[in-house]
Amino acid sequence: MQTTLDVVVRDKGSDELITVPASATVAEAVAAMTGHEVGAVLIMNEDGLVSGIFTERDVVVRVVKTGRDPRTTPVSMVMTRDVTFVTPGTTIEAALSLMYVKRFRHLLVIDGPKVHGLLSLRDLAYQLIRRDDGRFETAVRRTSEGGAAS
């Protein structure tokens, strides 16, 4: 049986969903990201709905590269607006495939208006390794001992 994202979100446990209002500046969004040691935040509108996502890549490509001032630029001007999402019933494998094809490092898990979580590639890789009955661990040990990983 394949693991679904609802299990991954539950296993993250106390990891809170980091959100920033659309009225915030880039500097405020970056402060939230660094303060919580995350690579992305959800941008929420006045009604509490997701307006977009703001990632480390957005900082580099849409702020730094273009010479915008993070202290005065509204995050709503440089966020990713077209947020791809999946439902909690999506399998880890399907989510990873989507993230690979679309070149995402973060994926929103949402069901109707309810946001269940924002998962990273790292979250999904952790779950695969954790639930793999030691296959990955064995491969790492063989590699570190000088043997070839299969």
Side-chain angles (χ1 to χ4, degrees), residues 1 32 41 52 63 68 84 96-97 116 119 121 126-127 143 146-147:
M1 184 169 131
V41 292
V63 180
R68 295 181 189 266
T84 298
L96 283 169
S97 295
H116 290 263
L119 298 176
L121 280 173
Y126 171 77
Q127 286 297 322
T143 301

Side-chain angles (χ1 to χ4, degrees), residues 12 14-55 75-76 79 83 108-110 113-119:
K12 282 184 72 169
S14 66
D15 286 2
E16 81 181 273
L17 187 64
I18 311 304
T19 64
V20 173
S23 59
T25 64
V26 167
E28 291 167 328
V30 168
M33 291 164 65
T34 57
H36 290 91
E37 297 180 351
V38 296
V41 292
L42 286 179
I43 308 303
M44 309 300 277
N45 67 21
E46 309 82 37
D47 298 324
L49 301 174
V50 176
S51 289
I53 184 173
F54 186 67
T55 68
V75 73
S76 60
M79 69 184 179
V83 180
L108 182 61
V109 181
I110 193 168
K114 181 172 175 20
V115 176
H116 290 263
L118 181 63
L119 298 176

Side-chain angles (χ1 to χ4, degrees), residues 6-150:
D6 59 334
V7 172
V8 178
V9 171
R10 276 197 315 269
D11 279 357
K12 282 184 72 169
S14 66
D15 286 2
E16 81 181 273
L17 187 64
I18 311 304
T19 64
V20 173
S23 59
T25 64
V26 167
E28 291 167 328
V30 168
M33 291 164 65
T34 57
H36 290 91
E37 297 180 351
V38 296
V41 292
L42 286 179
I43 308 303
M44 309 300 277
N45 67 21
E46 309 82 37
D47 298 324
L49 301 174
V50 176
S51 289
I53 184 173
F54 186 67
T55 68
E56 294 164 324
R57 186 176 295 163
D58 292 327
V59 173
V60 172
V61 173
R62 297 180 177 165
V63 180
V64 175
K65 183 179 177 187
T66 60
R68 295 181 189 266
D69 182 352
R71 292 169 300 196
T72 59
T73 303
V75 73
S76 60
M77 286 183 61
V78 291
M79 69 184 179
T80 299
R81 292 182 181 281
D82 296 327
V83 180
T84 298
F85 64 90
V86 293
T87 65
T90 304
T91 65
I92 292 176
E93 291 80 3
L96 283 169
S97 295
L98 176 65
M99 293 170 85
Y100 176 78
V101 169
K102 299 273 190 164
R103 299 177 49 145
F104 298 149
R105 284 180 270 174
H106 298 89
L107 189 59
L108 182 61
V109 181
I110 193 168
D111 190 12
K114 181 172 175 20
V115 176
H116 290 263
L118 181 63
L119 298 176
S120 68
L121 280 173
R122 180 180 178 170
D123 296 329
L124 299 180
Y126 171 77
Q127 286 297 322
L128 282 178
I129 292 167
R130 182 172 163 226
R131 296 177 184 280
D132 192 51
D133 298 326
R135 190 179 84 210
F136 288 110
E137 184 178 340
T138 301
V140 168
R141 278 198 184 125
R142 269 192 246 150
T143 301
S144 65
E145 294 168 357
S150 54

